[in-house]
Amino acid sequence: MNETRKPIVVVGSVTMDMVTCTPQIPRIGQTVIGTSFSTTPGGKGANQAVAAARLGYPVQFVGMVGDDVYGPQLIDNLFHAGVDTSAMLAASGSSGLAPIFLAENGQNAIVVVPGANGKVDSAYVDKHLHVIRNAGMVLCQLELPMATIDHTLALCAQFDVPVMLDPAPAAALSDPVWKQVAWFTPNETEAAFYIDGGSDPEPVARELLARDLRGIVLKRGAEGAYVAVAGGKAGWVQPFAVDAIDTVAAGDCFNGAFAVALLEGKDPWAAARFACAASAISVTRHGAQASMPSRADLKSFLASRG
Ligand SMILES: Nc1ncnc2c1ncn2[C@@H]1O[C@H](COP(=O)(O)OP(=O)(O)OP(=O)(O)O)[C@@H](O)[C@H]1O
Ligand SMILES: [Mg+2]
């Protein structure tokens, strides 16, 4: 069967998390004996791509890895999740890497090395104009250089492609970026970076809409999500009650699923409910990408919840 759906295109980051479990985080100059080490693929861009692909939607990734041992592993991981990796490039130098120390008392210390993510520039994006022009929606986060985000969003405006921007980590945005975003999806701390609105989402959403955004989802963890549409309705989308064991990448799961549902024609409230269900499943499982539900998982979860 020929694919007629326009793909979700993620222009984003891909990172290898390097998790070292240790009795305690070493002090400066100290060496401690750790208990285990593992590498797990992450990066907000890659997480969102996997979330959408696991739901059976066509996804293409525009981003870079390094020419180190992690590069091929990161590309393979996306490919095996069903993501089209044909536009990905190996730049010289390291991949995006995140050495993480996890102590037994739950404390952590993390160093994020952007590596190849920092090399994703406008010239590389321009080599994939056809990919962006053909996208049903472009998903961005803020783990790439801001000049690349600005350029990508300008292309989306030119080709009339809707953009979902996850402002993570939160950073100042240029005026054209605000105007070009169809869906803006901060969590509570990210929203507070932009608007000093307190914990009530209603004024926060109202002030954000005043910046020319067309749609907003305020992700609120176990409280669910607050959705507001320019010139339209605003309100809560209730969470699904689950026993959460690991909320890492819940927001990324939400974004991938929300994009899929919107492109499948759901209205924003139905799409947010679909995304709340997907991310509720993800918090009942360990890991970032490993926790993303398949379409079958999501269907049976929704059926069980009426
Ligand atoms: N404990 C929970 N129970 C049910 N649903 C949850 C829970 N935590 C998160 N979710 C769902 O996941 C969505 C996103 O979670 P959250 O607001 O924590 O995003 P985030 O901070 O961006 O996450 P990330 O760690 O991926 O950046 C929520 O809107 C909600 O639908
Ligand atoms: Mg997030």
Side-chain angles (χ1 to χ4, degrees):
M1 194 181 82
N2 281 334
E3 180 60 70
T4 53
R5 294 174 295 179
K6 287 183 157 196
I8 289 170
V9 173
V10 179
V11 182
S13 59
V14 50
T15 305
M16 188 66 93
D17 291 341
M18 314 174 82
V19 183
T20 306
C21 295
T22 170
Q24 87 247 9
I25 293 171
R27 296 188 311 275
I28 291 166
Q30 187 190 17
T31 299
V32 299
I33 305 298
T35 46
S36 68
F37 176 81
S38 59
T39 54
T40 51
K44 290 178 199 297
N47 292 346
Q48 294 184 14
V50 168
R54 291 272 292 154
L55 293 170
Y57 210 83
V59 181
Q60 185 157 12
F61 196 84
V62 174
M64 292 187 193
V65 296
D67 64 357
D68 52 9
V69 294
Y70 303 108
Q73 294 175 28
L74 290 165
I75 293 178
D76 271 11
N77 172 68
L78 285 171
F79 182 79
H80 286 297
V83 176
D84 179 341
T85 57
S86 57
M88 291 183 75
L89 197 71
S92 73
S94 88
S95 296
L97 299 174
I100 298 171
F101 289 128
L102 271 187
E104 277 165 7
N105 66 2
Q107 288 180 333
N108 64 55
I110 303 176
V111 179
V112 175
V113 180
N117 296 314
K119 295 183 177 157
V120 177
D121 59 8
S122 300
Y124 162 70
V125 173
D126 281 343
K127 290 204 180 82
H128 303 288
L129 281 185
H130 58 288
V131 174
I132 293 182
R133 181 187 284 131
N134 183 46
M137 186 176 288
V138 165
L139 272 53
C140 289
Q141 312 76 30
L142 299 181
E143 290 183 336
L144 297 184
M146 195 54 90
T148 310
I149 306 289
D150 287 346
H151 185 68
T152 302
L153 268 60
L155 293 174
C156 291
Q158 187 184 330
F159 300 141
D160 207 18
V161 173
V163 175
M164 184 179 298
L165 179 67
D166 194 30
L173 301 173
S174 68
D175 284 344
V177 164
W178 287 107
K179 287 189 178 57
Q180 284 152 21
V181 172
W183 287 101
F184 189 69
T185 63
N187 67 14
E188 191 162 4
T189 46
E190 290 148 6
F193 173 87
Y194 297 101
I195 304 288
D196 185 13
S199 62
D200 180 2
E202 192 272 325
V204 175
R206 191 158 19 85
E207 277 199 55
L208 283 170
L209 285 175
R211 298 190 180 186
D212 274 352
L213 291 166
R214 280 167 273 164
I216 293 165
V217 179
L218 301 175
K219 289 179 280 188
R220 289 296 182 110
E223 288 183 293
Y226 186 88
V227 179
V229 178
K233 290 194 295 179
W236 282 100
V237 174
Q238 293 306 317
F240 290 84
V242 290
D243 290 324
I245 57 166
D246 179 352
T247 62
V248 170
D252 294 330
C253 180
F254 186 101
N255 280 50
F258 189 54
V260 167
L262 290 169
L263 289 173
E264 288 180 349
K266 288 190 166 61
D267 69 52
W269 275 266
R273 183 178 153 76
F274 181 86
C276 279
S279 45
I281 297 172
S282 81
V283 303
T284 65
R285 300 174 176 175
H286 285 293
Q289 295 173 15
S291 70
M292 306 300 181
S294 67
R295 177 72 66 150
D297 294 337
L298 188 47
K299 270 194 179 148
S300 60
F301 179 84
L302 283 167
S304 73
R305 301 295 176 118

